[in-house]
Each structure stands twice: as C-alpha cells, then as structure tokens.
Amino acid sequence: MSDESPFRSVSMTNQFVLLGVAELDRKGETPVQTHELRQYCKQQLSDVDTEVVGTLTEADVIRSLYRLEDEGLVDEAQSVATSPTGKGRQSYTLAVTVEDVYEGVADELADELVDEPDD
C-alpha cells in the first residue's frame, strides 16, 4: 500500500465521520442516514479534542460523506425512507471493512472513539 492511503488523504473531520459510520456498522445500524449519523457523531464529540475536529454541522457530515464516497471508503445505499418533503433520504454504508477503518484513521481519533466490541 502506498504512503498516501485514502484514510490519510481526508481531513480529521472526514475521518471522524468515517469512524462514526464504522461504529454504527459494527453495531448493525447501517445503512445510516445523514441526520442519524450527525446525531451519533455529535454524541461522540465530547470524547474528542475539539481542536482536532471542531464543531460538526449537518452540512459538514454531508460534505464528509461525499468526500468519503469519492475516496471509496463509503457507499451510498438505496434508501426507502423519505424526508418530510417527500424526497428520498441518502443512506450510507462502509465500502471497506471496519478493521480497515480502525487501522487507517488517525491514531488520536481511533484511540478516543473506538469502543471495544462486546464479547
């Protein structure tokens, strides 16, 4: 693998969102819609140095998901749910393994956010 992994080529915010998708995938809660992912990530922000990630708006999550999809790290899933305006809501799944995400993201994020799997 080259030194320029897709994990390192995206911002810390994008890596944080990717970790959120990975954690929800591990819990069997994907595909996940953007508003659900933002809510999960906001709950996790208290565990992260906010200087590393900053605040997280819904627009940040959406931009991150688009970038992660471009990098081949997440895939858009077909969603049957609709928004209040009747439009389809985008949902996302991992395009790589959870283990690849945990190994690929910045150590300062992974160390703070990754829950140990329940045995």
Side-chain angles (χ1 to χ4, degrees):
M1 183 177 257
S2 73
D3 288 340
E4 188 61 28
S5 89
F7 299 99
R8 301 296 179 172
S9 66
V10 295
S11 72
M12 291 295 261
T13 298
N14 293 341
Q15 290 182 45
F16 179 73
V17 170
L18 181 62
L19 272 171
V21 176
E23 282 290 291
L24 291 170
D25 183 82
R26 187 177 58 79
K27 295 175 180 184
E29 298 178 19
T30 57
V32 62
Q33 294 179 352
T34 56
H35 68 283
E36 296 167 332
L37 178 59
R38 178 179 179 256
Q39 183 178 16
Y40 178 81
C41 287
K42 283 190 74 157
Q43 291 170 350
Q44 304 308 309
L45 264 178
S46 62
D47 296 334
V48 177
D49 178 0
T50 55
E51 290 181 22
V52 172
V53 177
T55 60
L56 195 64
T57 66
E58 189 161 354
D60 293 330
V61 172
I62 292 168
R63 279 191 298 272
S64 291
L65 288 167
Y66 287 151
R67 175 65 194 264
L68 295 168
E69 186 177 22
D70 286 345
E71 292 293 333
L73 298 171
V74 299
D75 286 323
E76 187 177 342
Q78 196 68 354
S79 179
V80 294
T82 58
S83 69
T85 61
K87 296 179 180 178
R89 290 195 174 191
Q90 295 172 312
S91 297
Y92 290 87
T93 61
L94 280 179
V96 296
T97 67
V98 172
E99 292 77 19
D100 285 344
V101 173
Y102 295 160
E103 290 175 16
V105 298
D107 291 339
E108 56 265 40
L109 288 178
D111 291 345
E112 293 183 41
L113 289 178
V114 176
D115 294 331
E116 292 300 318
D118 298 330
D119 290 328

